């Protein structure tokens, strides 16, 4: 029996007490008993999103909430700016094209953040752009985009929204929706919320709800106005993912108890420790100038096949990390530190990377990365 560790950027491990909570016998969703749970989860989600607006709870993956944001806020023919710095940025553009929007692709070099000055120029030059679509954390490259700076560009433009995929950002680092003026913020359950996949949460600003009133995209399941109406009665339009909502309520209670600042600080400490470890091992970071605190990516040495390295770490050592996608396939490793992950998970991940590199013939001083991480991890105690 091999002991396994799940340290990939989603799905992330689910805490034991949350698993137990979700294992309770099924309850019917149209009952006062479940409505109380649903209502409590939706209310506590406002704390997570740092908003006074409703947070809709959808039975879907994160991509469903991305698609829902586009179809609810925009119309065919609308022009949107897709900030494309990785797999998920590309997804914004693809969704827009699917619904007949005119997509302005803003290409960003993988591993870097977009430059707000460049975005300002695009918006100034093209007042027809109705939405800027971006990732808070572009999980495929481990880079973070400057959401606060982007929000400063859009918050005073009545006819342009900032739509933020916070799937590996919400609950990881600060994204205060109301304070910054983010118009649409969304996340998925299988990341920092430490739940199984299957729930998406999304919130719209007052400005975004006005856009929703004008939207002409076809929609049936992902109809946010319908969901908002149902939420007022502590329910959802269709059968909610009952067990996941029960888990969500528990996780959000925990987040409130710890405090969002504490949760963010933990993610930041784990992220800095992982980055320090990679650098101590001489491994080049994927996003050295704008790293996200959700996961750390680094290039594997050229002599090593990254795909084989990931496989060895997973199948032989029992530690699941993530490799690269598309242009970085076989070239990088990504170590996640979001959700139910703490100090000693980072130690395990770095130790596994060191041992695997040595096994693959790369000269490694065992313990060097772990020691560099430990120096930072200790700050938490
Ligand atoms: C930043 C980001 N956006 C979107 C997605 C897609 O989410 P899902 O697979 O839940 O649809 C992911 C998943 O890893 C992600 O990390």
């Amino acid at each position: 029996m091999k002991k396994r560790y799940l340290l990939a950027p989603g799905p992330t491990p689910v805490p034991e007490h949350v698993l137990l909570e979700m294992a309770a016998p099924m309850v019917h969703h149209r009952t006062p008993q479940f409505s109380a749970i649903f209502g409590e989860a939706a209310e506590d989600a406002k704390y997570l999103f740092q908003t006074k607006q409703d947070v809709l709870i959808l039975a879907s993956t994160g991509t469903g909430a991305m698609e829902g944001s586009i179809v609810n806020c925009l119309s065919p023919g609308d022009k949107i700016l897709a900030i494309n710095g990785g797999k998920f940025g590309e997804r914004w553009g693809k969704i827009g094209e699917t619904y007949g929007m005119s997509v302005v692709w803003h290409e960003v070099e993988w591993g870097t953040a977009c430059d707000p000055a460049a975005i300002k120029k695009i918006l100034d030059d093209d007042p027809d752009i109705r939405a800027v679509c971006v990732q808070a954390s572009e999980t495929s490259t481990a880079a973070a985009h400057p959401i606060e700076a982007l929000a400063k560009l859009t918050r005073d433009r009545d006819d342009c929204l900032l739509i933020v995929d916070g799937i590996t950002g919400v609950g990881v680092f600060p994204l205060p929706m109301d304070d910054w003026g983010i118009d649409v913020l969304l996340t998925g359950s299988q990341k920092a919320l430490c739940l199984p996949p299957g729930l998406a949460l999304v919130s719209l600003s007052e400005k975004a709800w006005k856009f929703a009133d004008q939207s002409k995209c076809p929609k049936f399941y992902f109809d946010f106005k319908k969901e908002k109406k149902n939420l007022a009665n502590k329910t959802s339009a269709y059968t909610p993912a009952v067990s996941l909502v029960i888990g969500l309520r528990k996780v959000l209670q925990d987040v409130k108890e710890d405090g969002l600042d504490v949760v963010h600080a933990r993610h930041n400490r784990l992220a800095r420790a992982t980055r320090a470890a990679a650098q101590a091992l001489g491994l080049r970071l994927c996003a050295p100038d704008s790293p996200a605190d959700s996961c750390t990516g680094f290039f594997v040495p050229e002599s090593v096949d990254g795909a084989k390295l990931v496989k060895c770490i997973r199948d032989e050592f029992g530690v699941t990390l993530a490799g690269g996608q598309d242009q970085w396939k076989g070239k990088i490793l990504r170590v996640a530190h979001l959700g139910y992950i703490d100090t000693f998970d980072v130690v395990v991940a770095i130790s596994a990377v060191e041992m695997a590199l040595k096994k693959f013939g790369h000269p490694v001083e065992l313990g060097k990365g772990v020691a560099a991480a430990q120096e930072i991890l200790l700050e938490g105690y």
Side-chain angles (χ1 to χ4, degrees), residues 61-63 66 88 91 135 137 139 165 167-168 190-191:
T61 72
T63 305
M66 290 173 75
F88 299 110
R91 193 164 297 179
Q135 273 57 44
S137 150
T139 322
D165 163 359
I167 290 177
T168 53
Q190 78 277 26
K191 310 286 185 180

Side-chain angles (χ1 to χ4, degrees), residues 15-250:
E16 295 78 357
H17 69 285
V18 177
L19 285 170
L20 281 173
E21 194 94 0
M22 290 190 298
M26 189 52 52
V27 290
H28 196 275
H29 58 294
R30 308 286 183 207
T31 55
Q33 181 195 2
F34 185 72
S35 282
I37 294 170
F38 194 88
E40 206 181 305
E43 200 52 39
D44 285 351
K46 293 182 184 175
Y47 172 72
L48 178 72
F49 278 58
Q50 295 173 272
T51 185
K52 289 195 176 66
Q53 300 296 325
D54 286 330
V55 179
L56 308 178
I57 302 173
L58 309 169
S60 105
T61 72
T63 305
M66 290 173 75
E67 179 166 344
S69 303
I70 297 285
V71 301
N72 279 273
C73 295
L74 299 157
S75 301
D78 277 353
K79 201 179 265 190
I80 64 166
L81 181 67
I83 297 184
N84 180 16
K87 281 297 287 177
F88 299 110
E90 184 186 41
R91 193 164 297 179
W92 277 131
K94 285 185 175 171
I95 295 171
E97 285 179 349
T98 303
Y99 286 96
M101 277 148 214
S102 157
V103 177
V104 178
W105 290 91
H106 180 67
E107 305 298 333
V108 176
E109 191 186 335
W110 276 39
T112 66
C114 67
D115 173 9
I119 305 300
K120 179 175 184 315
K121 181 160 179 2
I122 295 170
L123 295 181
D124 286 346
D125 290 351
D126 193 345
D128 288 342
I129 292 174
R130 302 268 292 151
V132 176
C133 302
V134 66
Q135 273 57 44
S137 150
E138 174 47 82
T139 322
S140 63
T141 67
H145 286 299
I147 301 302
E148 185 176 15
L150 295 178
K152 281 190 180 137
L153 301 177
T154 51
R155 68 183 304 164
D156 297 325
R157 291 174 204 251
D158 290 343
D159 43 12
C160 185
L161 297 178
L162 179 64
I163 303 183
V164 178
D165 163 359
I167 290 177
T168 53
V170 172
V172 177
F173 49 83
L175 289 167
M177 185 173 155
D178 292 357
D179 275 5
W180 286 1
I182 297 170
D183 293 302
V184 179
L185 184 62
L186 60 100
T187 191
S189 53
Q190 78 277 26
K191 310 286 185 180
L193 286 171
C194 18
L195 292 167
L199 279 188
L201 277 64
V202 59
S203 185
L204 273 65
S205 69
E206 268 176 40
K207 186 166 104 182
W209 282 116
K210 283 188 195 145
F211 273 57
D213 283 336
Q214 308 296 323
S215 163
K216 293 191 177 57
C217 274
K219 49 188 101 45
F220 188 83
Y221 181 72
F222 290 117
D223 184 335
F224 288 180
K225 279 163 69 179
K226 196 157 56 186
E227 291 299 343
K228 185 176 164 67
K229 227 173 164 174
N230 276 276
L231 184 58
N233 295 319
K234 299 184 181 170
T235 189
S236 53
Y238 309 104
T239 313
V242 170
S243 305
L244 293 175
V245 173
I246 290 171
L248 176 66
R249 178 184 61 164
K250 183 71 205 140

